[in-house]
Amino acid sequence: MRRVSLQPAYVLHRRSYRETSFLIELLTPEFGRITVSARGARQRKSTAQGLLQPFTPLMVAFAGKGELMSLSDVDAHGEVRQLKGDSLFAGFYLNELMMALLERWDAHPALFAAYDRTLIALQESPLNQRILRSFEKTLMEELGYGLLPKNPAVQNELFQSEKYYRFVPEQGFVVSELGGDAKTIASLFSGKSLLSIAKEDWQDEDAMRDAKRLTRFVLAPLLGNRTIHSRKLFMQLGEVKNDEE
């Protein structure tokens, strides 16, 4: 029997379970993504239902055997992150990504800390895309798909601003002879953009767009046929706004 108390957590997803309970997917720093049953949390007298919401910092206790744990206690552990508008969609996008990509019981304390910082930053309005690009980069690094070196000396050794590089799965970036004439090729990136992405220097709009493109390119085979619904809905709403302008 495993017993854990006083563990920080965020709700990634919840669904009804039996007549009065929830199944909750939690993100924790020490245990990664875990599934717990919150017995009786759907009853009117339960105070847990209001707490077990996305973007609420929690302190939880749980116990059990195997994959499914039983939630024994939950308390608020700070102020609810107030996400609105596009930032709310962005928050659900992060949750869906981690639900799809994180293995259960695989601890990522650095990712938990990055997620907490990201939610705090997303409270600012309007949505700053730089926040999402930084989190996506951290997520890929934590999953073992960090494509760019963190050491500035190594970055400058591998990439030159004036050159173009093609991303080859399971091999990395190779110099391309196609150059800027082939910017439409999905796997082609400028050295300038790659250096900016590696340093998380989001001042360059081209680097921002290339970071988003690189993330989609790398995550596509990892996600397979799974749809990130929040991203799809966000794109549809963006199209509606453009039509109205």
Side-chain angles (χ1 to χ4, degrees):
M1 171 76 73
R2 184 198 298 259
R3 296 184 183 277
V4 176
S5 60
L6 299 178
Q7 180 68 197
Y10 275 102
V11 171
L12 296 180
H13 184 263
R14 83 175 190 185
R15 61 186 184 276
S16 298
Y17 179 59
R18 296 178 178 171
E19 293 185 0
T20 62
S21 305
F22 286 116
L23 279 184
I24 310 288
E25 297 287 343
L26 293 176
L27 179 68
T28 70
E30 293 183 32
F31 303 95
R33 175 190 159 207
I34 63 171
T35 307
V36 299
S37 62
R39 296 178 181 175
R42 292 168 59 201
Q43 295 177 337
R44 289 186 179 181
K45 63 180 181 180
S46 173
T47 58
Q49 183 169 179
L51 289 173
L52 293 169
Q53 302 280 355
F55 319 130
T56 300
L58 303 171
M59 191 67 74
V60 301
F62 53 88
K65 297 179 180 179
E67 289 289 314
L68 180 61
M69 298 284 109
S70 293
L71 186 70
S72 55
D73 194 19
V74 57
D75 288 299
H77 188 51
E79 296 182 359
V80 178
R81 312 311 184 199
Q82 301 289 346
L83 308 187
K84 300 177 181 179
D86 291 347
S87 292
L88 181 61
F89 284 106
F92 283 122
Y93 164 69
L94 302 186
N95 286 5
E96 283 196 81
L97 271 187
M98 291 188 290
M99 283 286 294
L101 298 174
L102 295 182
E103 297 290 338
R104 288 185 175 88
W105 298 99
D106 190 5
H108 294 283
L111 181 63
F112 183 90
Y115 178 70
D116 184 53
R117 291 194 304 271
T118 301
L119 292 186
I120 292 172
L122 284 174
Q123 294 181 111
E124 299 180 4
S125 185
L127 172 63
N128 188 336
Q129 292 288 334
R130 300 171 186 175
I131 298 170
L132 297 183
R133 302 293 82 82
S134 290
F135 182 83
E136 289 168 339
K137 183 172 178 288
T138 299
L139 176 61
M140 289 193 294
E141 290 170 349
E142 286 292 309
L143 291 173
Y145 293 91
L147 306 175
L148 301 168
K150 294 185 177 181
N151 188 307
V154 178
Q155 295 167 6
N156 293 326
E157 182 179 340
L158 290 178
F159 304 113
Q160 297 180 36
S161 297
E162 68 277 7
K163 291 187 177 182
Y164 283 79
Y165 299 82
R166 184 163 51 89
F167 177 72
V168 181
E170 301 193 14
Q171 182 176 344
F173 292 97
V174 297
V175 178
S176 173
E177 300 298 331
L178 297 176
D181 295 333
K183 288 182 180 178
T184 57
I185 297 177
S187 60
L188 198 68
F189 300 86
S190 72
K192 181 183 178 183
S193 282
L194 293 176
L195 286 169
S196 293
I197 295 169
K199 299 171 184 175
E200 296 191 27
D201 178 3
W202 307 122
Q203 301 302 315
D204 189 333
E205 291 297 326
D206 286 339
M208 284 275 290
R209 286 190 291 269
D210 284 346
K212 184 175 182 178
R213 186 162 56 92
L214 178 59
T215 299
R216 303 293 181 268
F217 190 76
V218 174
L219 291 182
L222 300 178
L223 292 171
N225 295 324
R226 287 170 290 196
T227 300
I228 303 298
H229 297 284
S230 52
R231 183 171 70 192
K232 184 177 180 180
L233 182 58
F234 182 77
M235 292 172 63
Q236 291 173 343
L237 289 175
E239 292 174 357
V240 171
K241 288 181 182 178
N242 290 335
D243 290 341
E244 291 176 347
E245 292 177 352

